[in-house]
Amino acid sequence: GAVVSQHPSWVICKSGTSVKIECRSLDFQATTMFWYRQFPKQSLMLMATSNEGSKATYEQGVEKDKFLINHASLTLSTLTVTSAHPEDSSFYICSAPSGTSGLNEQFFGPGTRLTVL
Amino acid sequence: AQSVTQPDIHITVSEGASLELRCNYSYGATPYLFWYVQSPGQGLQLLLKYFSGDTLVQGIKGFEAEFKRSQSSFNLRKPSVHWSDAAEYFCAVDFSNSGYALNFGKGTSLLVTP
């Protein structure tokens, strides 16, 4: 099946710094990727849709200036958490759809755990 | 409004006992349906999926799920639970039927006792 990777798998940073998380589709191209956020012991919440060659679409309540998304190529989307604060600490997961005959399904990356001190 | 409901936040079963995790959705048509498992600190692993056709779906690790249109349900089952099955289970729904982002239920935490 299709493989999605994320880098780094975990990161610790100081409050006020920016952190970049990469999401790559390794063996397929993805014009669209999705970014989710998961707080401890909670479900995944969709943050934004990353679109190759155009602006990302953010879900209601997600600050676009806080969470910068760039879909630079058909295999790479990046999420930059700007001026991170402790409340941004979370597990960030990306996904990309792949499939044939219109039967797309999401393939998830392994996630990135962000801890802001 | 479209929604995904997992009524049970926690479930405890004895090792070797059968398991059923419930999932209901609210939608006018039949969406794509998925079950994922997440071990502590790990990413998501797909257990099984339903797009169309046979309403009883077989997945990995001995899991199966049955789609019931009349009940808008997609319950996950396993006849005999192993201690390694202890994890968080998420039901997820693609209401777009086209590979758009998934809507996740709140998850069910499974504890397996000896």
Side-chain angles (χ1 to χ4, degrees), chain A residues 36 38 43 49 103 105-106, chain B residues 32 38 49 99-100 102 104-105:
Chain A
Y36 297 83
Q38 184 181 30
S43 188
T49 302
L103 295 180
E105 66 174 271
Q106 295 295 325
Chain B
Y32 292 166
Q38 185 180 38
K49 60 191 176 189
Y100 192 66
L102 297 180
F104 285 84

Side-chain angles (χ1 to χ4, degrees), chain A residues 10-63:
Chain A
W10 59 270
V11 56
I12 301 173
C13 69
K14 293 182 178 180
S15 185
T17 62
S18 294
V19 175
K20 179 184 286 188
I21 303 170
E22 295 184 347
C23 176
R24 294 182 185 273
S25 55
L26 297 186
D27 49 2
F28 66 102
Q29 294 183 332
T31 57
T32 302
M33 292 182 175
F34 302 97
W35 287 96
Y36 297 83
R37 182 175 184 178
Q38 184 181 30
F39 289 105
K41 299 189 182 300
Q42 294 189 29
S43 188
L44 284 76
M45 299 298 295
L46 179 66
M47 297 176 64
T49 302
S50 174
N51 304 298
E52 190 270 336
S54 64
K55 291 183 179 180
T57 304
Y58 291 84
E59 296 300 300
Q60 190 173 10
V62 178
E63 301 175 59

